[in-house]
Amino acid sequence: MRHRRLSVVLDLELAWRRVKQDQYDDFVPDVVEFRDVEQCKTTVLSDIEQALDRGYIPVELLRIDAPKKGYTLRPCTYMTVEDRIVYQAVVDHISCCVEEPPADCVFGYRLNNDMKSKYMFKFWKEVWLEGRKKMRNIYENGYRCLLRTDITAYFEQIDHRILRNQILDAQVKDKRVLDLLNTLLHKWAISDTRIGIPQGYDASSFLGNLYLINLDKIMSRQGLRYFRYSDEIYVLTMDEPDARRAIKLITQQLRALHLNLQEAKTEIITAPERITKEIGSDDEDKRRDFDYQFIRKVQRDEIEEVEEAEDEIVKQYKKVTGNGKAKKVEISDLKWCVNKLRRLKNDKAAQFMLKSFTRMPVLADLCFEYLQLFINRERIKEGIVNFLDSTNNIYEWQEMWLLLTLSKARRLRNIQLDVLRGIIRNSSKAIVSRGAAILVLGKLGDSTDRKWLVDLYQNEDNSYIKRAIAVSVYGMPKAARNAFYSSIQDDSPAMMRLVQYLKRDHIETI
């Protein structure tokens, strides 16, 4: 029987709608949030269809490390929109064929009941709160121990061959889809290994869930009160020996997947007050909205948010931060407070966030969302620029977000702009940092700066930098700007569609 073309098998339209929605919690944001793609979506998808039928070739990932809570690093990536659409389309196809992890114990990245929804997953908050409530109900029935652990370098250690076999077992019949997934993941693996999948994408989150499905089934069939959210694992047991047996069983199952538990994050908790703190309470769940990971766009208009009075939020902020003087805070609690203050446009946490640059670099994206509200205050601009020009400026991901925060200002002093010029000139700086500095200088610098950026374009090989330069010179006089755009629009299809977007009378950036 003759196979349908791969471009017909894969639903690129659905994949695009999901990619467009998924972008709002990206580690590395697109400078125009894919508005250039939306403007010529039909052409982009048609070009992808042709590439699929010829034999799709993915592009290398742009890599950057983001700091985690304990100053360790998480590998993050930025991929072209074409690769991202294809990756999402492949995984969407697989998701229609495979069995999901057991719903009674896995409370993260559950597939949406509507398989054609622009949201691949059910809203994470609802699913997570459901899991917490179930844990509390079980704990109240006589369980006395809570095992808490998570998996070391989870996404980085996923073995492509094991993943492929699991997908084959799930009856994905079109081998071309699996071969394409293999091509994508192999291209994106570090060095010449067949290990690791890119973090921060819904497609990867689904594959990560699928990779652990056998662990989930075995733990559930053993009768254990087992719960998992991504790589975080909880097991409720009657006593400590049962908890230790659970650790042994999890370890054995993970070894078969070439994974390991994090020793530093593995703990058997017996103190009732500590268990209660881990699993929360009904009142706490009702009061709090659990914004552990900040999302730049509201995902669900229909989700009812419980809004406390402003003085109550300020009171909670003071408690969490020791009235802004604490040197150590619970990051999830701080995120909750700052997120609430942001919605109220209350500047109570501004000074504390400025002081957090050195000791809590993991909060850089939250700083962007919050401090941009007050970025025209001189002390905010000065605090950011001084940090960027200091020896404490270590993490490129943090540097990128702080530079993007500066891009929201109306003006910068020339001495502050000099710091940005230095970042752009420094070829050893991360591409995303230089790109962000280019955006700020193009917007807030003078005509000489924009002329310099135009000249810089010809000497740059990286498409991310070129994209940033094209956006940054939008403030040039229209005739000169369009002349430059006409000279670069044939560089690539991606640059052609960006130029078409930038020639409009009004554009939006991140």
Side-chain angles (χ1 to χ4, degrees):
M1 183 178 69
R2 186 176 179 181
H3 278 297
R4 292 184 299 163
R5 291 179 292 117
L6 189 56
S7 60
V8 177
V9 171
L10 300 179
D11 190 339
L12 298 179
E13 176 70 37
L14 173 63
W16 161 241
R17 288 192 288 118
R18 289 182 167 178
V19 166
K20 188 169 59 169
Q21 187 60 40
D22 185 33
Q23 69 168 309
Y24 293 119
D25 54 0
D26 283 357
F27 286 111
V28 179
D30 183 73
V31 292
V32 294
E33 296 184 329
F34 298 150
R35 294 182 186 92
D36 57 326
V37 180
E38 180 65 27
Q39 180 176 270
C40 51
K41 177 192 68 176
T42 302
T43 301
V44 173
L45 296 186
S46 176
D47 289 347
I48 294 174
E49 287 176 356
Q50 294 177 41
L52 284 170
D53 293 334
R54 290 194 305 265
Y56 191 81
I57 302 175
V59 177
E60 289 280 358
L61 295 173
L62 174 59
R63 301 181 186 276
I64 182 173
D65 287 325
K68 298 169 73 172
K69 289 182 182 180
Y71 299 104
T72 56
L73 298 176
R74 181 196 313 276
C76 305
T77 60
Y78 175 89
M79 67 174 67
T80 67
V81 71
E82 291 88 352
D83 281 358
R84 193 160 176 180
I85 292 170
V86 171
Y87 185 34
Q88 183 67 50
V90 167
V91 173
D92 283 342
H93 181 86
I94 292 169
S95 72
C96 295
C97 307
V98 303
E99 175 188 5
E100 269 210 278
D104 61 342
C105 63
V106 178
F107 296 96
Y109 306 112
R110 306 295 313 186
L111 287 175
N112 199 316
N113 293 334
D114 179 2
M115 298 299 288
K116 295 298 183 180
S117 170
K118 66 180 179 179
Y119 303 101
M120 185 178 190
F121 303 119
K122 296 177 181 177
F123 189 38
W124 73 270
K125 188 187 300 182
E126 294 174 328
V127 178
W128 177 228
L129 293 179
E130 176 190 338
R132 284 168 61 89
K133 186 171 184 178
K134 185 165 186 177
M135 289 173 66
R136 289 195 295 272
N137 290 339
I138 291 172
Y139 176 63
E140 290 166 2
N141 287 328
Y143 288 80
R144 293 292 174 263
C145 289
L146 176 66
L147 165 63
R148 181 191 63 191
T149 186
D150 72 14
I151 301 170
T152 301
Y154 175 36
F155 286 94
E156 300 157 65
Q157 297 300 321
I158 288 178
D159 188 301
H160 300 171
R161 287 156 290 197
I162 295 174
L163 179 62
R164 181 184 174 91
N165 288 336
Q166 288 173 323
I167 297 172
L168 284 170
D169 290 344
Q171 303 299 307
V172 177
K173 296 178 181 178
D174 196 326
K175 185 175 178 290
R176 296 172 301 166
V177 175
L178 297 180
D179 289 343
L180 179 53
L181 177 62
N182 185 70
T183 297
L184 296 171
L185 296 183
H186 185 52
K187 180 71 173 183
W188 299 335
I190 296 175
S191 301
D192 197 31
T193 67
R194 293 191 178 274
I195 295 174
I197 64 176
Q199 296 189 50
Y201 307 101
D202 280 354
S204 293
S205 297
F206 174 82
L207 294 178
N209 248 7
L210 179 62
Y211 196 72
L212 294 177
I213 192 168
N214 288 335
L215 168 68
D216 301 329
K217 288 181 177 180
I218 288 170
M219 296 298 290
S220 185
R221 290 170 184 174
Q222 290 288 330
L224 291 164
R225 300 300 191 176
Y226 160 91
F227 301 88
R228 181 173 66 79
Y229 187 93
S230 189
D231 59 348
E232 296 178 1
I233 295 172
Y234 298 87
V235 183
L236 283 161
T237 66
M238 291 294 188
D239 53 33
E240 287 191 57
D242 280 347
R244 291 196 294 271
R245 280 188 280 271
I247 294 174
K248 181 179 178 182
L249 180 58
I250 294 170
T251 301
Q252 291 169 340
Q253 297 305 313
L254 288 180
R255 280 178 183 163
L257 300 172
H258 303 165
L259 298 173
N260 295 287
L261 292 179
Q262 287 204 54
E263 182 178 353
K265 293 187 177 180
T266 300
E267 185 178 10
I268 296 173
I269 304 171
T270 57
E273 63 275 10
R274 293 230 19 238
I275 295 177
T276 300
K277 183 177 180 181
E278 285 290 332
I279 63 179
S281 66
D282 289 345
D283 287 343
E284 180 184 2
D285 285 358
K286 184 177 180 180
R287 185 178 66 84
R288 296 278 293 271
D289 62 9
F290 289 90
D291 289 321
Y292 288 135
Q293 180 175 352
F294 195 82
I295 299 174
R296 285 185 278 120
K297 298 282 184 180
V298 176
Q299 283 197 353
R300 289 286 196 275
D301 293 336
E302 68 269 20
I303 296 300
E304 180 181 352
E305 297 288 352
V306 179
E307 292 291 352
E308 292 84 351
E310 186 167 355
D311 58 344
E312 286 298 316
I313 295 170
V314 172
K315 182 179 178 181
Q316 182 67 14
Y317 162 77
K318 290 179 178 179
K319 179 180 178 182
V320 167
T321 64
N323 201 20
K325 297 178 181 178
K327 293 185 177 180
K328 187 175 182 181
V329 299
E330 178 57 49
I331 286 182
S332 61
D333 289 339
L334 178 63
K335 283 186 174 184
W336 183 88
C337 292
V338 173
N339 206 4
K340 291 291 188 182
L341 292 171
R342 181 196 66 84
R343 291 174 187 170
L344 295 167
K345 298 184 179 179
N346 184 304
D347 67 353
K348 184 67 178 179
Q351 191 60 36
F352 187 84
M353 296 305 285
L354 286 173
K355 293 191 295 185
S356 76
F357 294 165
T358 299
R359 61 191 182 190
M360 287 181 283
V362 69
L363 297 177
D365 51 349
L366 183 61
C367 287
F368 166 78
E369 289 296 337
Y370 183 66
L371 292 180
Q372 67 171 291
L373 298 176
F374 319 108
I375 192 58
N376 289 305
R377 299 179 185 179
E378 193 58 40
R379 65 183 179 88
I380 302 292
K381 291 188 286 189
E382 190 170 314
I384 292 175
V385 173
N386 287 346
F387 176 82
L388 291 172
D389 199 32
S390 74
T391 56
N392 288 318
N393 180 16
I394 297 170
Y395 304 102
E396 297 91 345
W397 181 78
Q398 181 185 33
E399 184 175 53
M400 174 197 72
W401 280 113
L402 294 181
L403 285 164
L404 290 175
T405 308
L406 288 175
S407 75
K408 302 301 181 180
R410 286 193 292 268
R411 64 178 296 276
L412 291 175
R413 291 183 286 116
N414 194 55
I415 193 171
Q416 295 169 330
L417 291 170
D418 274 341
V419 174
L420 308 184
R421 295 175 185 123
I423 291 173
I424 296 168
R425 291 190 188 98
N426 188 347
S427 60
S428 66
K429 284 284 187 180
I431 287 169
V432 294
S433 296
R434 294 185 65 229
I438 285 168
L439 288 173
V440 185
L441 187 65
K443 178 183 177 184
L444 303 178
D446 57 23
S447 59
T448 301
D449 289 316
R450 285 184 278 275
K451 178 63 169 62
W452 175 50
L453 294 176
V454 165
D455 294 340
L456 192 65
Y457 184 94
Q458 303 303 328
N459 298 319
E460 292 289 342
D461 296 325
N462 184 270
S463 60
Y464 186 90
I465 294 289
K466 288 187 170 186
R467 188 172 174 84
I469 292 173
V471 175
S472 74
V473 299
Y474 183 79
M476 293 175 68
K478 190 171 183 178
R481 178 188 75 196
N482 287 344
F484 171 61
Y485 288 160
S486 295
S487 73
I488 66 174
Q489 64 184 2
D490 293 330
D491 279 6
S492 67
M495 186 55 68
M496 172 71 80
R497 65 173 176 256
L498 179 61
V499 164
Q500 289 175 357
Y501 175 71
L502 294 175
K503 283 186 174 181
R504 292 170 26 161
D505 290 334
H506 173 72
I507 67 166
E508 295 179 67
T509 60
I510 178 176

